[in-house]
Amino acid sequence: QDEFPLLHMIFSGSPGTGKTTFARLVGEILRDAGVLRRGHLVETSPGQMVAQFIGGTAARTNQIIDSALDGVLFIDEAYGLADSDRGGYGAEALETLLTRMENDRDRLVVIAAGYTQKMRTFLEANPGLSRRFPAENRLVFTDLDHDELYEILRQSLHNRGLLLHPTLNSILDECIHGMLRDKDEHFGNAGEMRNLADALERAYAVRTATEP
């Protein structure tokens, strides 16, 4: 076990840049390579790992980790474990996680994800974190560009059985440019396109209901 490589990873980036999707692929790749027996993905967050009573956090965190053994544990907004406003229970969850990451390194891959700057702060919060997440295992997911967002929107509409009328192309093109122009750090990337597709589907449903 001491010779088993550390495969734990940091995925940094804004929401909707594909972190969860890629984490699922990592599990499948490592399963096919014979590294993980199951390769399944278990998603969690600091809020699910932390209990509000003494001793409860370690039990809850261990339970979540047990469900991810032989697969991938994906912790979204992992920097929340280092927040001081969790009454110290976040630190308890973090210590439990660090121990299991070492002891079960041959059966578990932990992927900690979140905003890039906050994940840098997270890594500095505990000296054990840098050792568990090797520098070469830290990936940055960049925001999607206009063409990528437009393709996601087109696919989202196609999956709903909707086709774009040619006159809509330039309107939606300008809409996406506007969203990119005004975006802040909370811009949801692919999620914004799914929301836009939902809005278009609703508008289409209302129009066809009033104009059979």
Side-chain angles (χ1 to χ4, degrees):
Q1 186 181 19
D2 292 339
E3 300 302 318
F4 201 86
L6 278 173
L7 299 175
H8 309 305
M9 305 177 190
I10 295 280
F11 286 2
S12 299
S14 301
T17 48
K19 297 189 294 296
T20 308
T21 300
F22 191 59
R24 190 169 286 109
L25 285 172
V26 166
E28 294 173 4
I29 291 168
L30 293 177
R31 180 198 63 212
D32 293 345
V35 177
L36 293 172
R37 191 168 59 84
R38 294 178 61 194
H40 63 300
L41 184 76
V42 172
E43 297 181 55
T44 191
S45 66
Q48 293 173 310
M49 298 168 72
V50 171
Q52 297 306 316
F53 56 92
I54 295 173
T57 292
R60 185 178 290 184
T61 300
N62 277 317
Q63 186 178 25
I64 292 170
I65 293 171
D66 286 343
S67 70
L69 284 177
D70 301 313
V72 174
L73 178 63
F74 182 84
I75 308 173
D76 198 19
E77 299 182 349
Y79 46 81
L81 292 172
D83 285 350
S84 57
D85 60 0
R86 292 188 182 271
Y89 295 124
E92 186 182 350
L94 191 54
E95 286 299 334
T96 304
L97 177 67
L98 288 170
T99 300
R100 295 292 300 272
M101 286 171 70
E102 187 64 39
N103 293 346
D104 294 304
R105 62 194 290 175
D106 57 337
R107 293 188 62 192
L108 178 72
V109 171
V110 173
I111 297 178
Y115 291 106
T116 303
Q117 185 54 50
K118 290 186 176 182
M119 291 307 290
R120 287 199 194 104
T121 306
F122 170 70
L123 279 171
E124 296 166 0
N126 185 306
L129 285 168
S130 288
R131 292 198 303 273
R132 302 302 193 288
F133 295 104
E136 61 272 18
N137 290 10
R138 303 172 194 173
L139 308 183
V140 177
F141 288 67
T142 56
D143 282 4
L144 304 182
D145 62 24
H146 170 275
D147 291 346
E148 291 167 330
L149 291 172
Y150 195 91
E151 179 59 23
I152 289 170
L153 175 63
R154 194 187 66 77
Q155 284 287 345
S156 294
L157 291 171
H158 177 76
N159 293 341
R160 291 166 168 77
L162 299 172
L163 296 176
L164 280 175
H165 190 279
T167 56
L168 269 177
N169 286 327
S170 60
I171 297 171
L172 291 175
D173 186 73
E174 180 54 37
C175 179
I176 294 172
H177 275 299
M179 294 170 83
L180 288 173
R181 199 165 46 239
D182 300 332
K183 75 174 184 177
D184 58 16
E185 63 169 1
H186 302 297
F187 181 69
N189 288 277
E192 303 288 350
M193 295 303 101
R194 287 191 289 271
N195 291 342
L196 180 54
D198 287 341
L200 290 168
E201 185 178 28
R202 284 195 299 272
Y204 170 76
V206 169
R207 182 171 60 79
T208 53
T210 56
E211 300 173 19

